[in-house]
Amino acid sequence: MSDVLDFSYDALPVRVVFRPGAAVSATPGEVERLGRRRVLVVCGTRGSDTARAVADALGPACVGVHDRARMHVPVEVADVAVQAARAAGADGCVAVGGGSSIGLGKAIALRTGLPLIAVPSTYSGSEMTPVWGLTEHGAKRTGRDPKVLPRSVVYDPELTLSLPVPLSVTSGINALAHAVEALYAPDTSPLVALMAEEGVRAMARALPAVAEDPTSSAARARALYGAWLCGSCLGATTMGLHHKLCHVLGGSFGLPHAETHTVVLPYVLAHNAPTAPDAAAAVARALDAADAPTALWQLAGRLGAPRSLAELGLAEADLAAAAAQTAGSAYANPRPVTADGVLAVLRAAYEGAAPAPDAR
Ligand code: NAD
């Protein structure tokens, strides 16, 4: 960080409860604190057992379980959920699950103004942000609105015990990406930098332990702690090229969210590192490594994560279109974004070799 301190920082009004078993033991209390009596629980089909356990714990304060969440929140899925909330006369919403379920809860909050409580079951970090996303006509739109920021987040490491190792790894690296981009964001600040470095450290140490023993409550808790910090960084700052690129690849080319983040991150950091040396140094410190992009690439490989966009199903013929779309709109990034620069990053990520020094 530079010697001249010059920053602004908005503390976001989210209450966080972090405790094993909290999904069932703490969610009813959080609903009551907000004075809600008729909440709708939203989830995906795969997470509906946990969501039903939360709904049971809520008893008469729950007016239904809506289990239709889908990746990237298609607008028609959001429409149906908003109708379900209105038809049930809901006065609040509890989203149980990964970023897709929380995203659907945010879509309801955006359209209805209902307060949202998030009970995350992955490490995506969405629960700590006022960022919403909706996919329509093959393109993902995102925006910020204080209405969608969960009023309360219930972190229960036990919920993540069922998250398969491959999903745990990619979801965890998705969280790392938030911290990495927060370190070079135009609105970063000393507090964000502390959270980001500690978030990277905690997650990078936890993921190998989760992979080695997915039933370890201690490893799961460390990973969720990392997710909280990384998600807080995402909520506090403006993301750059990495997130834009992943949105394009997910929204317009149908690539899976967390896996795409996992593949792309080392190459974007390699691309941005010359213009963001302090950020790259902080990531390297947290990873206890000499070179941050290489260490991120090695971490993903060691944990068996996908390492190339080709593996994720992107067609080589789509690289130029993805690069043009990514470079076609303005957003903050430490290194000026050009179609050629993005194409070089995409080509390297498509091939999946170690991030080359000449990419920098
Ligand atoms: P996800 O919510 O789609 O979950 C991935 C898969 O894991 C799903 O099949 C789900 O059913 C399953 N799953 C979730 N928790 C599980 C558990 N504990 N055990 C077993 N299976 C489980 O994926 P995600 O990576 O959490 O979230 C991705 C979405 O979130 C994307 O749409 C992304 O854009 C969004 N997101 C938004 C923000 C934001 O701030 N708005 C931040 C991060 C991610």
Side-chain angles (χ1 to χ4, degrees):
M1 175 147 321
S2 112
D3 290 341
V4 181
L5 287 177
D6 177 353
F7 64 90
S8 51
Y9 174 74
D10 277 359
L12 296 178
V14 191
R15 178 179 148 85
V16 170
V17 179
F18 193 118
R19 182 192 314 142
V24 163
S25 70
T27 306
E30 295 307 299
V31 168
E32 204 181 319
R33 269 184 108 254
L34 291 172
R36 303 293 118 177
R37 303 211 151 121
R38 302 179 56 80
V39 295
L40 182 70
V41 171
V42 300
C43 60
T45 32
R46 261 170 85 182
S48 61
D49 287 354
T50 313
R52 280 178 212 289
V54 172
D56 288 348
L58 288 167
C62 174
V63 289
V65 176
H66 183 79
D67 64 357
R68 311 262 189 90
R70 287 215 349 250
M71 183 77 89
H72 300 312
V73 198
V75 99
E76 56 280 8
V77 170
D79 290 344
V80 173
V82 168
Q83 278 163 18
R86 288 194 172 129
D91 65 1
C93 182
V94 175
V96 182
S100 300
S101 300
I102 294 167
L104 187 57
K106 286 178 168 181
I108 295 174
L110 184 68
R111 296 261 291 278
T112 63
L114 293 180
L116 175 64
I117 294 173
V119 187
S121 67
T122 69
Y123 308 131
S124 81
S126 176
E127 66 280 357
M128 291 305 298
T129 84
V131 179
W132 55 264
L134 283 168
T135 304
E136 189 171 19
H137 306 311
K140 183 160 181 179
R141 283 184 296 129
T142 61
R144 277 180 179 258
D145 192 315
K147 278 206 294 280
V148 311
L149 179 72
R151 303 281 188 89
S152 177
V153 176
V154 177
Y155 281 112
D156 179 354
E158 286 177 6
L159 281 199
T160 63
L161 286 169
S162 58
L163 193 63
V165 168
L167 271 175
S168 303
V169 167
T170 52
S171 177
I173 298 179
N174 181 191
L176 290 184
H178 310 328
V180 167
E181 290 227 294
L183 281 162
Y184 56 56
D187 41 6
T188 196
S189 63
L191 187 55
V192 166
L194 285 171
M195 290 194 294
E197 192 172 327
E198 171 64 2
V200 172
R201 187 172 290 113
M203 187 61 84
R205 287 187 186 167
L207 290 181
V210 167
E212 193 180 322
D213 180 6
T215 66
S216 163
S217 300
R220 293 292 187 173
R222 294 297 295 174
L224 202 55
Y225 162 69
W228 167 53
L229 292 172
C230 294
S232 302
C233 293
L234 176 64
T237 57
T238 309
M239 297 287 103
L241 173 61
H242 172 81
H243 281 72
K244 179 68 186 175
L245 191 45
C246 292
H247 281 171
V248 167
L249 293 171
S252 301
F253 296 88
L255 264 55
H257 180 81
E259 291 87 339
T260 305
H261 273 270
T262 302
V263 168
V264 169
L265 184 62
Y267 305 102
V268 172
L269 184 56
H271 180 78
N272 279 338
T275 37
D278 290 350
V283 177
R285 251 191 330 267
L287 296 173
D288 201 14
D291 181 69
T294 305
L296 285 170
W297 181 81
Q298 287 169 338
L299 179 71
R302 236 185 8 257
L303 297 172
R307 272 211 294 219
S308 74
L309 294 177
E311 235 178 291
L312 299 185
L314 186 69
E316 193 171 2
D318 286 335
L319 293 178
Q325 196 179 327
T326 307
S329 53
Y331 47 90
N333 192 60
R335 184 168 171 175
V337 176
T338 64
D340 283 350
V342 179
L343 186 57
V345 168
L346 267 172
R347 184 157 291 287
Y350 178 80
E351 288 166 3
D358 66 1
R360 286 169 245 169

